[in-house]
Structure formats: structure tokens, C-alpha cells
Amino acid sequence: MESFNSIIKRESGLPQGISRQAWFWMAVGGGISGGLIQGGQLVRFMAGPWLWLCYALAAGFMVLLALELRAVIRLGAPVSGFAAYIEARLGSYAGYAARVTYCCAFILIVGSEIGVLGSYLSQVWGGPVSVSMGVLFFGLVWIQASGIRIFSRLALFFSYFKLLIFIGFVVVACYVAWVIQPYQQPPELSWPTEDWSLAALGSVLLMALFSFQGVEMLSLSAAQAQEPPATRAARLFRGGLSMIVIYMLVLLASVWLVPWQVSTTQPSPLVVLMTMAQVPYMKEIFYFVVVLFGAGVLNAQLYVAARLLFSLSRAGHLPPALAALDARGTPVRAVALATLLVALVAGLVWLWPLRMGAVILGVAGNGVLLCWLLLFAARALPQTWHEEGYWAGARACLGVLILMPALLLMPFSDLHDATSYFGWLFQVIICFIYLAGSFYVSRKLRFGRYKNSLI
């Protein structure tokens, strides 16, 4: 089992071209999607008056996750982030599973969302959806292949744009709620008395956890950040907390504008706000905002997927050629493979949207929870209790106790009962690939005909 420092050395070589501001805000803006002000009506309706409790519990869990990521980043900043720590503590297969699962989850998400954003973009300029999808796809490819400095500047632009929209949304929503006549009655903040399905509440709690996904992007991009090691961990924790606070403020404003009782019959909160403010060209502005929101998220996720492919190559799980760097220090072959896989997923979603939607939800949903569980499990080992104290070990054990039931109960939730099986099937497939690769390499090594390890 390799040490954490040896894994950092193995994955070295990428330039530190992400500015401190871009690194900090990339996770805050890149992790929060436009779904907050775009929609989410079904989730709100399912949770009903329990919505606040579900999201408060999810926010508390994400604080635990941010604390664990801060502890990991204090030790160093490898390209694969927390996956390298998982490998150092739990072994080669755990690190392999975390990297492959997280990389495939992001590739599936990016491939599925390109079609959605393409349809929105076509509404803005009136062109065909296929052309809009091509523009978005090649735009993302250009950003990823242009070098880390251009990526850093554009990531900062996307993040600032999102934050500006979020802050403006919250300020105007508060003004509408307290000065102008409210659209509906204020949201119900008292303890609910209705009987609510536990399966529905469990589904909403899982969706709330997925909504906060993005805190870990700081860990996965820290290797190329220009942040000094002495302040890297503190800035990561502040970024995670900032994301959680912004998310909860926007959620409060959204539910105030469109209460859960009418969430399935009313338009999105942003449309409601622009209607009340009588904004001209409301439809085009709404689609444009959603496209920029989505483009910022996909840009960050594609960056992470390409770096995880680079990490898998350096670990010997993929051909060494994928770890090649160009003159600017960009892993162009890893970027090329990631974009090709995204294009393949987008094509499959175009042909079979319902079937691929179930696969993506299962693989990505299970995968993210499994990666979080592996991180908490790695942190819950006796070494953490001995080196960092009882609070650090107890905190990690609490995360394990939260995530284990969530993973096991996903097949019984209302939203994931038909999709979680794809996630477990995916884990069986990558396990078989790992075992087959290990068997192949061991036979080659036995007969002395193999030099470069693939596993």
C-alpha cells in the first residue's frame, strides 16, 4: 500500500495555474447548479413541510464532509484529491473504485446535461437543438484544451456570474416578500403535523445530499491551485461553508416565492420573480441564465473527470499515454478521452432518454454516496484516532453511520427504487475489470513478459 506522499509524487507534473480566487469560487459556484431557482418542484412537493428539516440535515452532513476534506488537504494536494487519501488508507482497489466511480459519474452527468442545455440555448437564438449541443460541446472542449490559465479565468467568470444571480435573486425576493404584496403565503416554518411517507422523505433527503455536491471539487482541484499550503485547508473549509450558506438562503427565497403546496402547478421561482418585476424578454433571459449556470457546472465537472483519468493513468489503471502533458501542462489525451466519452453519453441520451436517465441517476447517485462513504471510512481508521484525537475519529464514524443506511435504503426510496440497481451493477462491473486486469498482469509478470503495469 502506497503512502499518501508517494501518491502525491506519483501524480505530480501539472502546473499550478488556477488562481486563488478561481479555486475558492469554483467549488462555491461550480457546485451549486441552477436547479435551485430553475425548478425542483417535485422534490419540494414530496417533502412538503418537512423540506426544511431534510435540507438542514443535508447541510449538517456537508459540514462534516468539509471538515474531513480540510483534514485531508492539510496532508497534501494530489490531483485525485480525496481519492488518493482513500487509496493510501484503504488500499489500491478502494482508490481505483473511488476514481473510476467519481469520474464516470461526472462524465454521465455532463453528457446528459448537454442535451438539456442545448434545448435551452436553441430557445434563445432560435436555432436547431443539435447545433446548440454542438456549440456547447466544442466550447467545453476548447476551454479544457486551452490550458489551465484560460480555464481558471473562465471558471472564475462562471462562478461570479452565478453568485451575482444568486445574490440578486435573494435580495429581490426579500424585497418582494416584505415590501410588495407576496405571491403566496409565507412558507410554513412550524413543526409539521401531517403524516408524511417515510420513503418520500428519505428520497428528498437523498436529493438534498446530492444538491450540495461540489464541496469536494476543492479537494480535486487543489493540486493546480496557487493557494499556499499553509492556508489551503482553511480556504477549502470556508469555501464549503460559503456554498452551504448560499444554497440555504436561495432555497429559503425560492420556497417563499413558490410554496411547496403549489410547487407542481406554478413556474420556477426565477420566472415568478421576473413576472412580478415585469422584466422584458423574460423567457429569453431565463433560458440564457440557465445555460450559463449549466455551462459553469459542466466546465468544472469535465475538468475533474479529465484529471481523474490522468490520475488513473499515473496509477497504472489506464495506459500511460493518457498521462502525457502538452507544452502548457494540460493532459490533452485525458481531456480528449473525457470529451469523447461525454459525446458518447450525449448520443445515447439522445437516442434512449428514459433508459439512460435511469442509468445515469443510478450510477451517479450511488457513486457519489459511495465515494463519500469511502472517505469517511478511511478517516475512521484507528490511525486517525491516534494522530488527530477522538473528535476527528468520532466525526468520521458519524459520517459512516449516516451514509451506510442511505446507500442500503436507496433501492426502497420513491425516487431511486428503479435506478439504484444500476449503481450496484456498475460497481460489480468495475470490480470485475479490476480483477481481470490484476490476473492478466500477474500472469505477464510470472512469465517475465510485462513491463508496464496496467493495474
Side-chain angles (χ1 to χ4, degrees), residues 87-147:
E87 179 184 352
R89 288 293 183 94
L90 300 181
S92 175
Y93 178 74
Y96 159 83
R99 291 184 180 94
V100 173
T101 301
Y102 217 81
C103 177
C104 290
F106 275 175
I107 287 174
L108 289 171
I109 292 172
V110 175
S112 64
E113 289 296 320
I114 280 183
V116 177
L117 295 183
S119 63
Y120 285 138
L121 183 59
S122 65
Q123 295 289 333
V124 176
W125 68 288
V129 176
S130 57
V131 176
S132 299
M133 290 177 60
V135 170
L136 287 172
F137 176 77
F138 287 108
L140 290 174
V141 173
W142 177 81
I143 294 174
Q144 299 294 325
S146 296

Side-chain angles (χ1 to χ4, degrees), residues 362-390:
V363 174
N366 276 51
V368 170
L369 290 182
L370 180 62
C371 290
W372 291 347
L373 176 61
L374 289 175
L375 173 61
F376 279 106
R379 293 281 302 155
L381 294 179
Q383 185 177 351
T384 302
W385 295 74
H386 177 71
E387 295 177 353
E388 302 179 32
Y390 290 101

Side-chain angles (χ1 to χ4, degrees), residues 151-172:
F151 168 82
S152 173
R153 292 167 184 164
L154 289 175
L156 188 60
F157 162 75
F158 283 127
S159 300
Y160 279 163
F161 174 80
K162 283 188 183 184
L163 291 171
L164 180 63
I165 295 296
F166 277 137
I167 294 173
F169 177 80
V170 172
V171 170
V172 177

